[in-house]
């Protein structure tokens, strides 16, 4: 790898940061505000994409911000692993920006200027995380990402949203303290915090007990945002945020920053060889395996669609951690490739959930029988992404999971391979009922799914969805109340907001008395500001599943793993 001094990594971070005051100044001009958001998102992606050919050719772009003495330095470094995360986040910001316009206007949401400004700040921090050249720089942007996403989590300003925000801050700042402690310990042991492919050499000869402690602090701290159990519960509660936030920040930027931190620790701080010698890989793999199975089982119990997707996210993130912890070449490739694969598929699923909410005010799966007539394109995209999540061929999830399973078998990890296969079956179990009832059932002929809502062990047994109790942040009545609260508000430019007419004025949740409208396959089900991003994300899932190298992400991943000493690809 050849280091080249360049301002492009810095510009890629700053372009969306500079846009924040511009977006805020355009409060009374929403069309211009959103045009600026789209232009900045495209510029950010262009800056990141311009570095991809050089990085694949062996060039690393470095921006040195400052030296502060005593081993503290801030620097940005666009290497293959950083490009993987930055390219993904900047690409999907464009898609999510279009979707956000349709979603926020469709619900006549309040504080839209703050929303778009916070999104810009979050993407600046996410790319800063991607390009952090050392643990100190990564930590700074990692914490700033928490601060910048807090207004998005609490956007609704309800008691539930504020409670979710407090929980989010408590968990993630706690994880940040652990990361800082691990960073300090690594510096004490090695005299550096700089990322080095294959790991910092001095850690191999450091005191094993202290080295294990440093690994535990770093993996545990980053594991909070990666939603590893038992520090995962902030993520389902954060689903109270608007769906675009759930999609990009809780399927891409926030949770992936935790995953990315673990990847940096495994590949560029400790390295696979030192991790094997210290014996810290097996406990990490065990935590990941337990998380992916347990979260899949919990997902079966969720009737609220966004909460089911949230627990699915917890499970799928652990696929990535498991791939990294197995330390085998194919498993590493699969784990890293699952970062973009999961992002494309889960973004599609969240976008579909948001479109269903905007158009029909329906949030619970038990109310979605026959909804394929009302929203055929949306549910088709949902089916494609769900198939990929379950590892069905021709969608991105199959390719990444195939690599992980092969790596597990090559490394003798039969238990972990079995856990992956069982989780795949559970994915089918909690996604198939959604797709099946959407297309093959009618509201009046809806067949209860035993794992979803039918009593376990007979009519007197407990309900599998939690006894019919109100979901904390997914209750349809709460959604109805919130929609009513904001339905008569005014836009920030002072113009009155008319209530949205979806063909059933006054209808909130589930099929109307007259049954679902039949909208056909030509896009009448929603606006193209929402349908376009849904179909784009679904298409990216298929593209990565059919031609992964052409989609460039597999080439980047192979470059990352190929540069690691002692790893056979």
């Amino acid at each position: 790898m050849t280091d080249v001094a360049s301002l492009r990594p810095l510009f890629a971070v700053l372009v969306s940061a500079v846009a924040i005051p511009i977006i805020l100044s355009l409060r009374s001009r929403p069309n211009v505000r959103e045009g600026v958001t789209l232009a900045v998102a495209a510029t950010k992606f262009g800056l990141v994409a311009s570095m991809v050919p050089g990085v694949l050719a062996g060039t690393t772009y470095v921006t040195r911000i400052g030296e502060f003495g005593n081993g503290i330095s801030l620097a940005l470094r666009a290497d293959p692993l950083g490009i993987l995360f930055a390219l993904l986040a900047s690409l999907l910001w464009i898609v999510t920006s279009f979707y956000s316009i349709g979603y926020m206007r469709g619900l006549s949401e309040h504080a839209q200027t703050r929303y778009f400004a916070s999104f810009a700040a979050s993407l600046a921090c996410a790319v800063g995380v991607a390009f952090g050249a050392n643990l100190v720089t990564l930590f700074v942007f990692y914490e700033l990402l928490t601060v910048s996403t807090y207004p998005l989590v609490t956007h609704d300003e309800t008691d539930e949203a504020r409670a979710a925000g407090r929980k989010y801050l408590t968990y993630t700042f706690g994880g940040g303290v652990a990361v800082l402690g691990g960073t300090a310990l690594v510096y004490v042991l090695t005299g550096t915090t700089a990322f080095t492919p294959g790991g910092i050499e001095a850690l191999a000869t450091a005191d094993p007990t202290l080295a294990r402690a440093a690994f535990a602090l770093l993996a545990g701290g980053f594991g909070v945002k990666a939603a590893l159990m038992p520090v995962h519960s902030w993520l389902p509660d954060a689903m109270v945020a608007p769906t675009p936030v759930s999609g990009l920040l809780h399927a891409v930027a926030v949770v992936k920053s935790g995953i990315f931190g673990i990847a940096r620790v495994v590949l560029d701080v400790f390295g696979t060889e030192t991790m094997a010698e210290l014996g810290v890989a097996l406990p990490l793999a065990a935590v990941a395996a337990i998380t992916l199975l347990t979260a899949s089982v919990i997902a079966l119990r969720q009737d609220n669609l966004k909460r089911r997707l949230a627990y699915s996210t917890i499970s799928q993130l652990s696929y990535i951690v498991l791939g990294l912890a197995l330390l085998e070449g194919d498993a590493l490739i699969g784990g890293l490739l699952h970062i973009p694969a999961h992002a494309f598929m889960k973004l599609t699923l969240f976008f579909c959930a948001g479109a269903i909410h905007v158009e029909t005010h329906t949030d619970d799966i038990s109310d979605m029988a026959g909804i394929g007539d009302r929203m055929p394109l949306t549910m088709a995209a949902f089916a494609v992404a769900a198939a990929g999540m379950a590892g069905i061929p021709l969608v991105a999830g199959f390719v990444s999971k195939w690599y992980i399973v092969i790596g597990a078998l090559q490394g003798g990890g039969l238990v972990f391979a079995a856990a992956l296969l069982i989780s795949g079956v559970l994915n089918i179990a909690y996604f198939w009922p959604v797709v099946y009832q959407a297309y093959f059932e009618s509201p009046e002929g809806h067949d209860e799914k035993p794992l979803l809502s039918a009593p376990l062990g007979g009519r007197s047994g407990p309900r599998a969805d939690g006894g019919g109790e109100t979901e904390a942040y997914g209750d349809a009545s709460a959604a109805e109340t919130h929609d009513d609260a904001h339905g008569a508000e005014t836009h920030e430019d002072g113009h009155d907001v008319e209530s949205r007419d979806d063909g059933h004025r006054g209808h909130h949740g589930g099929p109307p008395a007259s049954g679902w409208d039949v909208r056909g396959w030509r896009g009448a089900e929603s606006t193209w500001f929402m349908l376009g991003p849904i179909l784009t994300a679904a298409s990216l899932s298929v593209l990565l599943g059919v031609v992964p190298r052409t989609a460039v992400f597999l080439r980047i991943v192979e470059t990352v793993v190929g540069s690691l000493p002692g790893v056979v690809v």
Side-chain angles (χ1 to χ4, degrees):
M1 300 293 289
T2 303
D3 287 356
V4 173
S6 173
L7 291 176
R8 273 189 281 182
L10 180 62
F11 288 159
V13 173
L14 290 181
V15 63
S16 51
V18 171
I20 297 171
I22 300 175
I23 292 172
L24 291 173
S25 70
L26 295 170
R27 176 186 179 92
S28 61
R29 303 177 67 186
N31 291 337
V32 179
R33 174 194 66 204
E34 288 155 14
V36 169
T37 297
L38 293 172
V40 171
T43 303
K44 192 179 196 75
F45 174 70
L47 284 168
V48 174
S50 72
M51 293 182 277
V52 172
V55 168
L56 290 176
T59 300
T60 300
Y61 299 94
V62 179
T63 304
R64 303 192 186 281
I65 301 174
E67 299 283 342
F68 301 96
N70 201 27
I72 300 176
S73 64
L74 294 179
L76 300 173
R77 178 184 176 92
D79 60 3
L81 185 56
I83 281 290
L84 175 69
F85 184 33
L87 186 67
L88 176 67
S90 58
L91 169 63
L92 294 182
W93 187 27
I94 300 174
V95 180
T96 306
S97 294
F98 277 104
Y99 183 88
S100 293
I101 295 170
Y103 183 92
M104 300 300 281
R105 293 192 179 191
L107 290 177
S108 301
E109 281 282 359
H110 70 299
Q112 293 186 27
T113 299
R114 183 187 67 196
Y115 170 90
F116 284 105
S118 296
F119 244 113
S122 301
L123 266 294
C125 296
V127 174
V129 167
F131 289 156
N134 52 56
L135 282 170
V136 173
T137 307
L138 174 56
F139 169 76
V140 170
F141 283 106
Y142 188 76
E143 293 294 84
L144 288 175
L145 181 60
T146 297
V147 175
S148 62
T149 51
Y150 174 78
L152 295 169
V153 173
T154 60
H155 176 82
D156 284 353
E157 300 181 19
T158 61
D159 291 341
E160 292 86 356
R162 292 188 179 96
R166 288 192 296 269
K167 188 172 188 178
Y168 173 64
L169 291 181
T170 300
Y171 273 69
T172 54
F173 277 146
V177 170
V179 170
L180 182 59
T183 299
L185 194 50
V186 167
Y187 177 74
V188 169
L189 293 174
T190 66
T192 183
T193 62
F195 297 134
T196 306
I200 300 172
E201 188 175 349
L203 275 174
T205 57
D207 180 279
T209 301
L210 292 178
R212 292 187 185 99
F215 180 84
L217 287 169
L218 290 169
F222 288 123
V224 173
K225 280 185 180 171
L228 291 176
M229 289 184 172
V231 289
H232 68 287
S233 65
W234 67 268
L235 182 59
D237 290 351
M239 292 300 105
V240 70
T243 300
V245 177
S246 303
L248 185 64
L249 300 185
H250 299 297
V252 185
V254 171
V255 296
K256 290 304 193 309
S257 71
I259 291 293
F260 181 80
I262 292 176
R264 281 293 194 197
V265 170
V266 171
L267 303 179
D268 294 340
V269 177
F270 281 83
T272 56
E273 294 177 342
T274 301
M275 283 187 62
E277 292 173 2
L278 293 174
V280 294
L282 183 59
L284 181 62
V287 170
I290 292 170
T291 299
L292 68 89
L293 288 175
T294 305
S296 294
V297 172
I298 296 175
L300 289 167
R301 297 167 53 89
Q302 306 304 310
D303 188 36
N304 180 271
L305 181 56
K306 281 182 67 176
R307 288 183 70 85
R308 182 172 294 198
L309 294 178
Y311 280 103
S312 171
T313 293
I314 294 169
S315 175
Q316 295 290 327
L317 293 173
S318 290
Y319 279 78
I320 304 170
V321 177
L322 181 57
L324 293 168
L326 291 172
L327 307 181
E328 293 288 335
D330 283 339
L332 291 171
I333 290 175
L336 293 175
L337 186 61
H338 202 58
I339 293 176
H342 170 261
F344 295 149
M345 296 181 297
K346 187 53 63 72
L347 197 63
T348 303
L349 295 171
F350 272 120
F351 281 180
C352 291
I356 292 170
H357 174 73
V358 169
E359 297 298 331
T360 72
H361 302 289
T362 302
D363 300 309
D364 293 337
I365 298 165
S366 55
D367 291 331
M368 294 182 184
I371 202 171
D373 290 335
R374 172 65 175 79
M375 307 194 73
L377 285 174
T378 299
M379 294 311 300
F382 188 99
V384 169
M389 298 294 284
I392 304 301
L394 302 183
V395 190
F398 170 76
V399 181
S400 56
K401 293 181 179 183
W402 173 265
Y403 273 103
I404 299 173
V405 171
I406 295 301
L409 294 174
Q410 289 174 340
L414 296 178
V415 173
F416 298 120
L420 290 166
L421 295 175
I422 293 171
S423 179
V425 174
L426 291 173
N427 270 263
I428 296 173
Y430 63 71
F431 277 126
W432 172 244
V434 183
V435 177
Y436 178 83
Q437 72 179 30
Y439 284 111
F440 303 109
E441 291 185 353
S442 62
E444 60 275 9
H446 177 45
D447 177 31
E448 282 193 0
K449 306 300 181 298
L451 287 174
L452 173 65
S453 58
L456 298 178
R459 285 292 174 185
S460 61
R463 290 173 62 91
D465 64 356
E469 296 179 1
T470 300
E471 289 287 347
Y473 306 121
D475 180 37
S477 63
E480 177 179 336
T481 301
H482 177 68
D483 289 341
D484 288 343
H486 293 300
E489 288 189 359
T490 58
H491 268 313
E492 292 163 329
D493 61 1
H495 293 99
D496 291 336
V497 177
E498 295 182 0
S499 59
R500 184 178 183 84
D501 185 0
D502 63 355
H504 304 284
R505 188 179 298 276
H507 167 63
H508 294 281
S514 58
W516 296 114
D517 287 349
V518 178
R519 293 295 176 96
W521 293 82
R522 297 185 178 181
E525 63 202 73
S526 183
T527 70
W528 279 101
F529 269 112
M530 299 182 74
L531 279 177
I534 288 172
L535 298 179
T536 298
S539 298
L540 289 171
S541 301
V542 175
L543 182 66
L544 189 60
V546 176
V547 284
R549 284 189 176 83
T550 302
V552 85
F553 287 102
L554 181 56
R555 292 170 57 197
I556 296 173
V557 167
E558 288 175 338
T559 302
V560 174
V561 179
S563 66
L564 302 175
V567 175
V568 179
V569 180

